[in-house]
Amino acid sequence: DRLVASPPGTAPPELGVPLDESEAARSARKGGASLGEWDPSFTYSFSFNTGYIDLPHWKLHRLPMRDVYLSSFWSDSDLRLVVYEDAPGGGHAWRANRYALCVRITHSPAGGGGSRRQSSSRRLAAAAAARASENDVGDEADGEGGEGNSAALAASSAALAAA
């Protein structure tokens, strides 16, 4: 895993290439050294890598035992990865957390999962379009007119629905 914090005014690392975290910084972080306070003006780039999860084939592999299909843990449910800040005294309760990122990964087995994938894309597109409508209403009430944001969101929604 790698972590790079880019201060304001500096370009964050390029996407799609390995992150360049110094070995000294990586060793200190893995050794339990405090990272200090998170500065919301910084851009944080994370990279997590493992040779044990094979998402295209929906399994764990190269384990000291046989390969294990992820469906044996959660049937045909999606895999959800989140990054959040726990609210003080919240005890990681999902309603109290402040979410920064949520990614849902859906497995579509070869020759079978197309309809589920398509319906998930349509649901996601509908939710994005609804959010765009809510943003327009809120922006108009603020007098700021957020047409650009909702137009981009609606365009991405349409692309998802077509997928």
Side-chain angles (χ1 to χ4, degrees):
D1 63 321
R2 304 282 179 174
L3 168 64
V4 175
S6 304
T10 63
E14 181 181 348
L15 295 177
V17 298
L19 293 179
D20 187 24
E21 179 183 25
S22 74
E23 284 304 316
R26 187 171 187 229
S27 294
R29 181 173 50 81
K30 287 188 165 239
S34 172
L35 296 174
E37 291 292 316
W38 290 93
D39 186 336
S41 67
F42 278 50
T43 299
Y44 294 94
S45 304
F46 301 87
S47 171
F48 300 98
N49 304 292
T50 181
Y52 299 106
I53 299 176
D54 180 356
L55 288 176
H57 295 105
W58 211 242
K59 67 181 179 178
L60 301 173
H61 68 122
R62 297 188 201 150
L63 300 172
M65 55 190 165
R66 65 177 176 81
D67 289 355
V68 177
Y69 286 92
L70 295 174
S71 59
S72 67
F73 296 108
W74 54 75
S75 187
D76 65 348
S77 296
D78 299 335
L79 172 63
R80 186 171 176 237
L81 307 171
V82 298
V83 175
Y84 66 89
E85 178 181 8
D86 182 28
H92 300 279
W94 70 270
R95 289 180 191 239
N97 296 334
R98 294 179 40 191
Y99 287 86
L101 172 75
C102 179
V103 177
R104 187 179 79 193
I105 302 171
T106 301
H107 176 59
S108 296
S115 62
R116 178 179 173 182
R117 181 179 198 178
Q118 195 171 43
S119 65
S120 293
S121 295
R122 286 194 179 121
R123 282 194 310 268
L124 183 59
R131 180 171 280 160
S133 296
E134 290 171 8
N135 286 344
D136 280 345
V137 171
D139 291 340
E140 289 167 3
D142 294 342
E144 294 184 14
E147 294 83 11
N149 289 339
S150 54
L153 190 54
S156 63
S157 300
L160 280 171

